[in-house]
Amino acid sequence: MGLGMAVDWREGLDAGDLSSEALVRASFERMARLDGQLNAVLSTEEGLSLSLARQADRRLRAGERSSVLGLPVVLKDNLNWTGLPMSCGSRVLGGYRAPYDATVVRRLLEAGAVPVAKANMDEFAMGSSGEYSAFGPTRNPWDTSRVPGGSSSGSIVAVSAGYAPLALGSDTGGSVRLPASFCNVTALKPTYGVLSRYGLTAMASSLDQVGPVAASAADIALALQPMAGRDPLDSTSMDLPGRERLFPLGPAQLKGLRIGVPVDYFGEGLEAGSRQLLEAALQVFADQGAELREVRLPHTRFAIDTYYLLCTSEVSSNLSRFDGVRFGHRVEAGTLPGMISESRDAGLGDEVKRRILLGTFCLSKGYYDAFYLKALKARTLITRDFDEAFASVDLLATPVSPGVAFPFGARTTDPLAMYLADAYTVPASLAGLPCLSMPAGLTAGLPVGIQLIGPALSDVKLLEAAHAFQSLTRHHLQTPPLPA
Ligand code: GLN
């Protein structure tokens, strides 16, 4: 099957040349063949997926049409899909099965998409490499001695390795964009609020968004179309302007498009090979008449500190529900406090514990003002930088990561080194802005991504700009060196 383009499969399904059942069977064959090595998948329910596929085929034959009808999709294991296990990559949820569908999952099912697997991930979406899952690391299909990036490691690898043309990840501070850049796929973090968070396990609620993943921007648009928009079950959700332009997605007019290039993102930390590819990508836009303008985002240097203070504070509160009382892993210890603390101690991994401790510290009396409140203020300054930049440009183009996928173990002993991988992805997250990562070429055989960031609710325009780039380049068509 290989890396199929969802838009091509869409046409094949609508023309009656393909069946959803055949596509879903091909997904399962590919997973069976490759996942022993890649470890991108945590659970499947083949019978259920096949029956959903046959249902989609009946709807297609009856003349029904939707952007995702009959297309296989992989779901990150922090999204509820009724009846399937949901582990969030953690032992603490041992035995938990989702009793309901997340809104994004329900909307995909209603539109006829066929979920085929729950994907591996860094525990509770905390991580940048895919190494922090309690169920073993996921491997990068481009080089299996390297990390795929995280935390949506399995969702990204599922698309990169051709298990399915579409996947959902989640992105709090870069978790679909960073692995997309490491594995040569395209991934969007929508404007905060465009996708409902109902049924997405909360990590840091003021930052979390579901992020669609695919081989191209046009494919992402297929997935976004049925999911986007206000949901009464999530009070922060809202409608996406221009949603009707997603299917089919057209390319943006690049002539006259003002693209801001933030000097603060192209400093010393950026590896030479990545820099070269980014410059070449910017030239593609310029050759079509886009105007490149240098801009400054001076508070970028505070972004990592700000993000890790706010994220850990929210984590410490959100994760208090995993206590062994109503669901998940329980260690019987005689007393209630003993049961709770031993269940948490046995069930949660080191990175999760580190963040709960840090966050609890930030929120405690005497430190709240010095850390949490100060970080909130820095978040406002970072957001204002973007507002000022968008007064003179239509979008921003930046690196996604300082370098390419790193070898296993390279950063696990030094949490700070791991956090620094997020330097270019956390600022847009703090500002709640739409941002995407798309392939910009290979350096020494490894993929490099370019990030586009737009003003709030410009998601459709951002995808149109990415689609224009992908109509002019072939980077996103390059597939990893896996058996066909
Ligand atoms: N790598 C970042 C972190 O560990 C982002 C994670 C995410 O976006 N879920 O917090």
Side-chain angles (χ1 to χ4, degrees):
M1 177 160 74
L3 183 66
M5 289 286 161
V7 286
D8 296 336
W9 291 9
R10 172 78 276 129
E11 272 181 27
L13 288 167
D14 290 346
D17 300 336
L18 286 175
S19 75
S20 177
E21 185 174 350
L23 292 182
V24 169
R25 283 192 191 282
S27 278
F28 278 96
E29 277 163 27
R30 189 129 179 113
M31 290 191 271
R33 199 140 51 86
L34 296 175
D35 210 54
Q37 192 185 11
L38 298 175
N39 197 30
V41 169
L42 292 180
S43 58
T44 57
E45 195 76 68
E46 189 167 353
L48 174 59
S49 297
L50 284 170
S51 94
L52 290 170
R54 285 189 285 267
Q55 219 173 302
D57 284 329
R58 284 194 291 278
R59 288 167 69 176
L60 282 162
R61 280 196 298 272
E64 201 182 319
R65 295 293 178 260
S66 94
S67 63
V68 292
L69 182 56
L71 290 176
V73 56
V74 166
L75 306 172
K76 187 172 182 177
D77 208 27
N78 57 357
L79 285 162
N80 281 276
W81 174 25
T82 307
L84 272 277
M86 184 185 67
S87 72
C88 296
S90 182
R91 298 209 182 279
V92 87
L93 272 163
Y96 176 85
R97 281 180 184 261
Y100 68 104
D101 289 328
T103 296
V104 289
V105 174
R106 179 174 56 76
R107 288 180 177 175
L108 282 181
L109 286 167
E110 283 168 3
V114 182
V116 292
K118 300 296 296 291
N120 204 354
M121 56 184 283
D122 284 302
E123 186 171 3
F124 285 108
M126 300 174 202
S128 309
S129 67
E131 293 169 286
Y132 291 151
S133 166
F135 307 103
T138 302
R139 296 185 174 274
N140 189 321
W142 289 84
D143 174 350
T144 51
S145 71
R146 289 175 188 262
V147 303
S151 67
S152 307
S153 47
S155 306
I156 298 285
V157 168
V159 170
S160 175
Y163 296 179
L166 301 174
L168 296 186
S170 66
D171 189 314
T172 303
S175 277
V176 292
R177 289 165 286 156
L178 184 69
S181 83
F182 284 1
C183 297
N184 213 57
V185 300
T186 305
L188 171 76
K189 177 174 192 186
T191 301
Y192 181 81
V194 160
L195 292 180
S196 167
R197 288 177 294 112
Y198 179 74
L200 166 71
T201 309
M203 172 194 179
S205 310
S206 78
L207 297 153
D208 297 339
Q209 256 315 267
V210 171
V213 183
S216 70
D219 286 4
I220 285 189
L222 296 184
L224 185 61
Q225 203 269 348
M227 293 191 296
R230 173 136 178 77
D231 172 19
L233 298 171
D234 173 0
S235 63
T236 61
S237 65
M238 55 190 159
D239 288 324
L240 174 64
R243 179 171 161 249
E244 66 289 345
R245 300 208 307 275
L246 288 171
F247 176 47
L249 187 74
Q253 165 72 263
L254 296 182
K255 194 169 161 38
L257 189 75
R258 297 165 306 167
I259 301 181
V261 183
V263 285
D264 317 79
Y265 283 62
F266 285 84
E268 277 169 24
L270 186 59
E271 280 173 16
S274 302
R275 183 186 300 271
Q276 250 174 20
L277 290 170
L278 288 163
E279 282 168 1
L282 290 173
Q283 196 54 44
V284 171
F285 284 107
D287 288 346
Q288 299 300 311
E291 205 186 303
L292 304 182
R293 291 192 187 177
E294 239 177 49
V295 296
R296 295 222 74 121
L297 299 165
H299 298 96
T300 301
R301 65 184 193 281
F302 301 128
I304 287 274
D305 301 19
T306 305
Y307 171 82
Y308 276 96
L309 290 172
L310 295 177
C311 171
T312 53
S313 299
E314 295 188 32
V315 159
S316 77
S317 156
N318 276 330
L319 269 74
S320 62
R321 74 192 59 165
F322 302 106
D323 54 10
V325 174
R326 272 171 302 179
F327 50 76
H329 185 74
R330 175 187 291 195
V331 179
E332 298 297 352
T335 64
L336 182 65
M339 185 280 280
I340 291 174
S341 85
E342 285 189 34
S343 299
R344 282 165 75 75
D345 189 34
L348 298 172
D350 288 348
E351 178 62 22
V352 174
K353 286 180 188 160
R354 174 159 40 236
R355 293 198 193 199
I356 292 171
L357 290 171
L358 265 171
T360 307
F361 177 79
C362 289
L363 292 175
S364 55
K365 193 161 183 279
Y367 297 102
Y368 180 93
D369 289 359
F371 294 110
Y372 182 72
L373 213 56
K374 197 155 212 173
L376 280 181
K377 289 177 183 168
R379 183 178 193 173
T380 302
L381 294 175
I382 289 163
T383 306
R384 275 195 207 146
D385 278 359
F386 283 109
D387 290 346
E388 277 164 32
F390 287 127
S392 62
V393 298
D394 301 304
L395 57 88
L396 297 165
T398 81
V400 183
S401 154
V404 294
F406 41 88
F408 283 102
R411 302 191 184 204
T412 38
T413 50
D414 180 357
L416 196 58
M418 188 70 91
Y419 298 168
L420 286 173
D422 306 331
Y424 303 136
T425 52
V426 294
S429 282
L430 288 164
L433 300 175
C435 37
L436 65 80
S437 169
M438 65 175 170
L442 305 180
T443 174
L446 292 171
V448 171
I450 179 168
Q451 175 172 234
L452 302 182
I453 306 172
L457 294 174
S458 69
D459 306 50
V460 178
K461 280 193 194 149
L462 208 60
L463 288 168
E464 287 168 340
H467 184 41
F469 179 84
Q470 293 182 327
S471 312
L472 297 161
T473 55
R474 301 186 58 77
H475 306 309
H476 63 294
L477 302 175
Q478 304 241 49
T479 50
L482 289 169

